[in-house]
Amino acid sequence: GAVVSQHPSRVICKSGTSVKIECRSLDFQATTMFWYRQFPKQSLMLMATSNEGSKATYEQGVEKDKFLINHASLTLSTLTVTSAHPEDSSFYICSARDRANTEAFFGQGTRLTVV
Amino acid sequence: QKEVEQNSGPLSVPEGAIASLNCTYSDRVSQSFFWYRQYSGKSPELIMSIYSNGDKEDGRFTAQLNKASQYVSLLIRDSQPSDSATYLCAVTRGNFNKFYFGSGTKLNVKP
């Protein structure tokens, strides 16, 4: 399958600071990227969908001003958690697909801990 | 009603047995169906995709789709302890720009 690289894999930050997570498609052009959050022992919750060059579409209940998504190129999308709080601690996962395929491939995930 | 429903399990099967994982979905216009495997603390990885009614086989895995019943399943033959993981069912609709995941079924394969 296609390769999606997510960085960093783990991050610990202080409450009130911002954290940026990168998601890169290494061997294909990701026309669509998805950002998910997963709390322990729960399923993936879709946060937002972004298409290259356009604004992200956020799911209901997800604060767009808190979770900033940028999909400026066909190989890179970023998620910035602004003014992070302990309740934002979670496993954040990106996935990406290209125009030719229906499958979406996942990055390795980022374990965010806000202290 | 959830978009995609799965029994959370755990489903326990002995090594070498067939594991049967089930998934139902609520929207009839769902177009594509996927099974992902997720090990604890890791990101999901794609196992199978299926788009039309019937069976699709890939090695020890068989996906079955019944659109009339809005039901998709995954069979794992000759189950191995390394198959122990959470299996996520996902469906898409609307130009494949929305992936909806079930809550996952935890599978335990006992040696």
Side-chain angles (χ1 to χ4, degrees):
Chain A
V3 179
V4 177
S5 176
Q6 189 173 339
H7 179 81
S9 59
R10 289 180 180 272
V11 59
I12 300 173
C13 72
K14 290 185 178 180
S15 186
T17 62
S18 296
V19 174
K20 180 184 282 189
I21 302 169
E22 291 189 348
C23 182
R24 294 181 184 273
S25 58
L26 298 186
D27 52 0
F28 68 101
Q29 293 184 327
T31 51
T32 306
M33 284 194 173
F34 307 91
W35 286 96
Y36 296 87
R37 180 167 52 183
Q38 187 176 36
F39 292 106
K41 299 189 178 181
Q42 295 188 24
S43 186
L44 298 167
M45 296 300 297
L46 178 65
M47 299 175 67
T49 303
S50 72
N51 294 296
E52 185 266 337
S54 61
K55 289 184 178 180
T57 301
Y58 289 80
E59 294 298 299
Q60 191 173 10
V62 178
E63 300 174 58
K64 60 180 66 177
D65 293 331
K66 181 171 181 63
F67 299 99
L68 302 178
I69 292 172
N70 185 288
H71 190 171
S73 78
L74 282 171
T75 60
L76 174 65
S77 177
T78 60
L79 167 67
T80 302
V81 183
T82 63
S83 187
H85 289 95
E87 57 265 31
D88 297 325
S89 299
S90 187
F91 191 45
Y92 291 86
I93 313 173
C94 72
S95 71
R97 58 173 287 269
D98 65 20
R99 193 174 287 115
N101 291 300
T102 58
E103 292 96 347
F105 298 94
F106 284 84
Q108 303 94 320
T110 298
R111 178 79 56 193
L112 170 64
T113 303
V114 184
V115 298
Chain B
Q1 184 183 15
K2 291 182 180 178
E3 295 277 353
V4 181
E5 302 236 28
Q6 293 180 256
N7 188 319
S8 61
L11 172 66
S12 293
V13 300
E15 184 174 357
I18 295 175
S20 177
L21 304 162
N22 304 314
C23 171
T24 57
Y25 58 95
S26 61
D27 196 326
R28 286 191 172 275
V29 301
S30 297
Q31 296 165 303
S32 304
F33 308 86
F34 306 89
W35 283 100
Y36 288 83
R37 176 175 62 197
Q38 186 177 24
Y39 293 108
S40 181
K42 301 293 184 182
S43 182
E45 57 180 320
L46 180 67
I47 299 176
M48 293 277 291
S49 58
I50 187 166
Y51 308 105
S52 55
N53 280 326
D55 295 0
K56 179 181 177 183
E57 186 174 319
D58 183 0
R60 295 188 295 113
F61 299 99
T62 299
Q64 299 174 317
L65 174 62
N66 184 324
K67 288 189 176 181
S69 300
Q70 295 175 230
Y71 176 94
V72 59
S73 66
L74 179 70
L75 300 178
I76 306 174
R77 288 181 299 281
D78 187 24
S79 295
Q80 302 297 308
S82 59
D83 294 327
S84 298
T86 296
Y87 289 80
L88 301 170
C89 172
V91 304
T92 68
R93 62 173 190 263
N95 201 29
F96 311 109
N97 263 4
K98 286 262 190 179
F99 275 72
Y100 296 93
F101 282 86
S103 55
T105 298
K106 186 173 175 61
L107 173 66
N108 290 328
V109 181
K110 298 182 178 180

